[in-house]
Amino acid sequence: MEGFAVTEPELPPASADRRLRLMIPMVVAFCFFLEGLDSTIVTTAIPQMAADLGETPLRLGLAVTSYLLAQAVFIPVSGWVADRFGMRRTFCVAVLVFACASMASGLSASFAGLIAARVVQGIGGAMMVPVGRLILLRSFARKDLPMAINYMNIPSVLGPTLGPLAGGLITQYLHWHWIFFVNVPFSLLGIAMAWRFVRDEAPASGARFDWRGFALLGVGMLLLQVGLEVLSHPVVPRATALLLFGGSGAALFMYARHARGRANAALDLSQLNVRTFRIALLIGGISRVGINAAPFLLPLMLQIGMGMNVLKSGTLTFVMALGTLVTRSFSVQLLRKVGFRTLLSTNTVVVAVALAGFVLVSATAASWVIMAYALVFGAVRNLQFNTLQTLTYADIASAGFSRATALGSSIQQLTMGLGVSIAATLLSVVAHDPGHLRLEDFQAVFLLAAVFPVLALPGFLGLRRDDAAVVSGYRS
């Protein structure tokens, strides 16, 4: 499947109508805005939520991972549903489910109720994000994708950028329940824009959904998450975690055998035959695990390890997210100049060094020093994510977009959840007392997180210099 020539028989909507070149990315950006706002706003408020619900901050990591796990499990349904009922209708219903679950999360008065609502919210996000990405891919000609992704990411970056600051302000002056209520007006606006500007395709009759494969995937991912959760509790025997990991591996292996040669597989693993797609997802996933630990660790380190209040912590974390805007002005030009191989391999080393550099952040460091470092880390982090996202679908045939986005989104969400879960597990392992975390505990975990991008480096060096040159514009 490598080296094929991509043909697009008719001009996609956004390439035919100049007005849609901005509006379609704006519509898609709403779903990424909501997701980014939700994830970063929650991590800032974790210590206060934990105190209010009578749980430890590490335990409240489940409020993040339960959402991400539900997304990873239910994303395989998204492509089938979008093909069956239409992209626009699926997207609008998904955003509505997300909004209703956000209200339920805000109204939760118990830990169990919060987790249940977050799972439902994750199901809505599982349809919202990949279908939004599918809308983008089907609306633009391939040569216009870098521009479209850049347009989409500018407003979508506002979610994770505003999240920490909004979380600090809301938690400090109102109550953590309100961090979920803010999703509702944005959701309604996103629904209205999608219904107005997204051109729907005729629903396809399609094949029957692969419920057996879906069940195997769900069991495999769930056992993996539970195994990591067990590891973070010293009172539970480590052998229990090993059994859960073994069960997870067996379920996922059974799915791989089940999906082989199956046209209607829940996740189409044949898309991994496209080399650039495989490297961007699997090798990129390894680097994402370490990088995604940072947004979870930093607010906890500032509040618990360094004694900052939630508003000051949110302000400093806001600067890290603000760093993502720095790369917007030059990321497309840089990709065109050096290509995917050089950019990813070089920036992977930079990201690893930046993660390890959090070891040098001390309680006596001036706020402006922490802010400057967080800004730099946010910039290199976003450059890595933006480049990986562009590479992922660069060589996928147009007919395979819906199944490729389902597989890609599922793996990306799983690595986000693993980043948080592994960070929480490592904290419980290195800490002398997981109930009373110290600054040194967070510094040690940041150093361990830096290992993951290093492990991904050989895979990125396996790219060719002219890989996906049609998308990057690179000429060797």
Side-chain angles (χ1 to χ4, degrees), residues 34-226:
L34 289 171
E35 183 192 36
L37 179 69
D38 185 84
S39 60
T40 54
I41 204 171
V42 169
T43 54
T44 302
I46 279 179
Q48 286 65 37
M49 294 167 66
D52 199 26
L53 297 174
E55 299 285 347
T56 66
L58 290 184
R59 180 76 167 161
L60 253 293
L62 273 176
V64 178
T65 56
S66 60
Y67 169 79
L68 295 173
L69 178 63
Q71 276 195 312
V73 169
F74 283 90
I75 278 173
V77 187
S78 63
W80 179 81
V81 172
D83 287 341
R84 188 72 177 268
F85 300 102
M87 293 187 303
R88 183 175 66 174
R89 188 181 305 171
T90 301
F91 182 80
C92 291
V93 170
V95 178
L96 182 61
V97 170
F98 184 91
C100 293
S102 295
M103 285 292 296
S105 297
L107 295 172
S108 299
S110 67
F111 178 68
L114 174 64
I115 299 304
R118 291 286 285 169
V119 168
V120 177
Q121 194 178 9
I123 294 172
M127 299 289 176
M128 180 175 70
V129 175
V131 174
R133 188 176 287 116
L134 180 61
I135 290 171
L136 190 76
L137 292 171
R138 286 182 174 172
S139 298
F140 282 87
R142 198 171 299 266
K143 64 181 178 62
D144 295 328
L145 277 179
M147 175 199 66
I149 290 174
N150 209 33
Y151 282 163
M152 177 197 72
N153 282 339
I154 291 174
S156 69
V157 159
L158 291 176
T161 301
L162 295 176
L165 184 60
L169 287 168
I170 291 171
T171 307
Q172 183 82 12
Y173 296 111
L174 295 173
H175 196 277
W176 65 262
H177 294 284
W178 283 91
I179 66 177
F180 297 105
F181 296 154
V182 297
N183 287 330
V184 177
F186 293 113
S187 298
L188 297 178
L189 182 58
I191 291 172
M193 289 183 65
W195 198 259
R196 172 68 178 84
F197 293 108
V198 174
R199 182 187 301 175
D200 217 345
E201 299 176 350
S205 56
R208 294 179 59 188
F209 185 68
D210 178 22
W211 292 108
R212 181 184 176 191
F214 173 69
L216 287 172
L217 279 172
V219 169
M221 293 180 186
L222 179 62
L223 291 178
L224 176 62
Q225 181 63 55
V226 174

Side-chain angles (χ1 to χ4, degrees), residues 28 45 66 113 118 243 267 284 286 317-318 350 425 442:
V28 177
S66 60
R118 291 286 285 169
L243 287 174
L267 283 180
I286 296 173
T317 312
F318 158 78
V350 176
T425 300
F442 293 101

Side-chain angles (χ1 to χ4, degrees), residues 289-312:
V289 168
I291 299 171
N292 282 318
F296 171 73
L297 288 171
L298 187 58
L300 296 181
M301 183 176 79
L302 296 176
Q303 294 180 53
I304 299 174
M306 299 174 65
M308 293 184 184
N309 63 42
V310 63
L311 183 57
K312 187 174 182 180

